[in-house]
Amino acid sequence: QRCVRFLASVMPADVLQIHLWEQDLCSLRIPATASPALALNPNVLVPVSPAYRTLVEWPTTEDVRIVNHLESHISQNVMKWIRQWFGLEYCSFMVLRVQVENLRICDIAVAAQGEGRFDPSHARLLELLKTPFGIAVANFLQHRELKVMRDQLAERNLLLREELENLTEYRVVGAETGLRGVMEQVEMVAGTDA
């Protein structure tokens, strides 16, 4: 939210989003989005038709793309989510490709309500934030991955504890040999209220 407020002080900015390209799903994933008043971690997928795949894969050398008119279905699909989350009806977009050492980390999308809101001076300003955004998003993605791994580990730990409890509940050392008579008496008493 603070980042959107800062951007809004120097350029048109109503919404900021992180876009991840999921090549195997031919979709954009939006793991985080914010306006000055609201921050969300929706983790939604926006399908991209094969005809627009090269647009998302971004084969050109430019680092910032300005979309002042919703000419592609990609922009229209992203706009549906912005409308749902933030109540904005029509937006212009500016998208920053974030790479670190030729590895594409994400795209940062800035949306501003209205048509024709961005110009090349805004693109130059946004491009200055490429490295800080790259570091921040790389850390965000690593943190998210660690949380998933921690949750999986906690779930596995719980299952192992339950399994261990079940094993110790039913297995008594010596129950099959010297304590057999005692165990038979315990089983008889266990079935009663005594």
Side-chain angles (χ1 to χ4, degrees):
Q1 290 171 301
R2 289 187 311 209
C3 188
V4 180
R5 285 193 287 270
F6 167 75
L7 288 174
S9 72
V10 294
M11 68 178 67
D14 295 312
V15 174
L16 180 69
Q17 293 185 329
I18 299 172
H19 292 176
L20 304 174
W21 173 236
E22 302 270 347
Q23 187 167 349
D24 54 331
L25 299 175
C26 198
S27 299
L28 284 178
R29 182 174 300 279
I30 304 175
T33 185
S35 72
L38 179 65
L40 301 169
N41 293 312
N43 203 31
V44 299
L45 283 175
V46 178
V48 175
S49 72
Y52 287 97
R53 189 176 190 145
T54 56
L55 181 66
V56 178
E57 289 174 346
W58 207 325
T60 64
T61 58
E62 63 185 335
D63 285 331
V64 179
R65 179 175 287 143
I66 295 174
V67 181
N68 277 324
H69 310 284
L70 298 181
E71 62 259 358
S72 75
H73 88 280
I74 301 166
S75 300
Q76 293 166 3
N77 286 344
V78 170
M79 190 63 230
K80 288 177 193 174
W81 289 105
I82 289 176
R83 187 177 302 115
Q84 179 180 331
W85 295 326
F86 303 107
L88 302 177
E89 284 304 316
Y90 185 90
C91 289
S92 298
F93 293 92
M94 189 165 47
V95 183
L96 171 67
R97 177 177 45 192
V98 178
Q99 291 184 179
V100 174
E101 298 176 2
N102 293 328
L103 175 66
R104 184 176 181 182
I105 304 294
C106 68
D107 295 338
I108 300 294
V110 179
Q113 187 160 6
E115 192 172 308
R117 298 292 307 276
F118 297 112
D119 63 42
S121 69
H122 300 129
R124 285 189 296 277
L125 289 173
L126 187 60
E127 194 168 3
L128 293 173
L129 298 173
K130 183 163 65 169
T131 299
F133 273 133
I135 293 167
V137 172
N139 287 340
F140 165 78
L141 294 174
Q142 240 179 352
H143 180 261
R144 187 178 70 168
E145 186 177 336
L146 287 172
K147 280 178 58 176
V148 167
M149 290 169 55
R150 182 196 66 201
D151 292 346
Q152 289 172 342
L153 182 61
E155 184 177 324
R156 178 86 172 138
N157 191 358
L158 181 63
L159 291 172
L160 288 172
R161 284 178 188 269
E162 288 173 359
E163 191 174 313
L164 186 59
E165 284 177 15
N166 288 340
L167 287 175
T168 58
E169 253 180 49
Y170 298 108
R171 187 176 291 166
V172 175
V173 176
E176 300 298 320
T177 56
L179 295 176
R180 180 180 302 197
V182 174
M183 292 305 293
E184 288 171 358
Q185 291 175 352
V186 168
E187 285 180 21
M188 287 175 26
V189 173
T192 67
D193 290 338

